Amino acid sequence: MSKRGLLTVISGFSGSGKGTVVNELVKRYGYSLSISATTRKAREGEIDGVHYFFKTEKEFMDMIDDHGLIEWVKYIDNYYGTPRNYVNEMLDQGKDIILEIEMQGGLKVKANYKDALLIFMTPPSASVLKERLIGRGTEDMTTINKRLHRASEETVYIDSYDYLIVNDNLDDCVNTINRIINVEKQRIVRNNDLLNYIKNDFSNI
Ligand code: 5GP
């Protein structure tokens, strides 16, 4: 009995450690990961087609015009978006896919994929977030301040998410999210084919 995969959106404040958590989920449990398109410049060590599809603004706008993105946003000074084809292919093949995207994008995904699971990750406190962003050393102080400001704006959307996870310990966080995904997959609403099969099977007993 073929079953569609589950689409999970993982969002969190910039610096919440969601990138590390998502990489571990992929490595340990074999989830598929959507690679976003962005107009942001690649950071040191980032590879085109692995971390992002790095695009010019013109290329990004063409993707929007061609309906090639499930959702897109302007986040601070750059555009980010989720390519449509890969996500749909994975779901059709029954594979569970993770999107690591910010919250407005997450809510747009939910509007189009009612079945999507939305998980929000937060560090234990705002001061821990600030320390992490500064310690990471990938952005200058102006950008860090913009990201912190954005984080405080984003708190209003958390209520629309399904789960809130504090990322205090990597292993705990990864295991908890994996458990949530597995439990969510057992929901009756996500198992209509199985339910119909069981009903039918038992009606002939
Ligand atoms: P960064 O520049 O640190 O890689 O990403 C900045 C923010 O953009 C992060 O919160 C990240 O999750 C989010 N992001 C990455 N890809 C996408 C995407 O395709 N769509 C949306 N809406 N946000 C994204």
Side-chain angles (χ1 to χ4, degrees), residues 18 36 40 43 52 71 73 80-82 101-102 147:
K18 61 187 185 298
S36 296
R40 168 167 80 58
R43 293 183 189 131
Y52 279 106
E71 60 75 38
V73 291
Y80 296 81
T82 306
I101 63 177
E102 56 71 61
R147 286 183 177 233

Side-chain angles (χ1 to χ4, degrees), residues 9 11 35 38 45 53 73 86 89 113 123 135 151 167 180:
V9 170
S11 301
I35 301 171
T38 184
F53 294 109
V73 291
Y86 183 71
E89 272 167 33
Y113 295 75
N167 181 18
I180 290 171

Side-chain angles (χ1 to χ4, degrees), residues 12-191:
F13 304 126
S14 174
S16 62
K18 61 187 185 298
T20 311
V21 169
V22 167
N23 285 340
E24 286 303 311
L25 283 163
V26 170
K27 207 161 76 187
R28 294 184 199 179
Y29 302 109
Y31 293 108
S32 301
L33 179 64
S34 162
I35 301 171
S36 296
T38 184
T39 59
R40 168 167 80 58
K41 297 272 164 292
R43 293 183 189 131
E44 212 179 307
E46 282 184 333
I47 301 164
D48 189 33
V50 174
H51 299 95
Y52 279 106
F53 294 109
F54 294 101
K55 303 285 179 193
T56 62
E57 218 163 291
K58 159 90 175 73
E59 288 168 337
F60 195 93
M61 293 306 146
D62 286 347
M63 290 180 86
I64 297 174
D65 290 343
D66 294 343
H67 305 286
L69 300 173
I70 291 174
E71 60 75 38
W72 62 272
V73 291
K74 186 162 192 190
Y75 177 86
I76 309 207
D77 299 320
N78 293 295
Y79 292 97
Y80 296 81
T82 306
R84 184 183 304 279
N85 287 349
Y86 183 71
V87 171
N88 287 341
E89 272 167 33
M90 290 301 108
L91 296 177
D92 288 346
Q93 288 174 25
K95 298 204 174 124
D96 301 322
I97 185 162
I98 295 178
L99 273 54
E100 187 221 312
I101 63 177
E102 56 71 61
M103 307 188 80
Q104 278 167 317
L107 296 178
K108 288 185 197 168
V109 169
K110 184 80 183 177
N112 291 316
Y113 295 75
K114 302 276 179 240
D115 206 23
L117 171 66
L118 267 51
I119 297 178
F120 189 80
M121 271 178 51
T122 175
S125 67
S127 57
V128 170
L129 181 64
K130 191 168 183 177
E131 275 165 33
R132 281 188 194 168
L133 278 175
I134 294 170
R136 185 162 88 172
T138 51
E139 273 91 16
D140 57 33
M141 220 36 225
T142 314
T143 308
I144 289 175
N145 282 329
K146 281 187 190 172
R147 286 183 177 233
L148 287 169
H149 180 67
R150 180 72 174 229
S152 93
E153 286 173 348
E154 282 180 335
T155 53
V156 295
Y157 299 111
I158 299 178
D159 300 53
S160 308
Y161 270 57
D162 299 309
Y163 290 90
L164 176 63
I165 314 278
V166 177
N167 181 18
D168 212 358
N169 172 288
L170 178 66
D171 280 333
D172 288 349
C173 194
V174 170
N175 291 335
T176 303
I177 293 178
N178 182 52
R179 280 206 308 274
I180 290 171
I181 293 174
N182 283 309
V183 168
E184 283 287 330
K185 285 172 66 180
Q186 307 309 313
R187 277 187 187 273
I188 296 283
V189 287
R190 295 199 171 95
N191 288 280

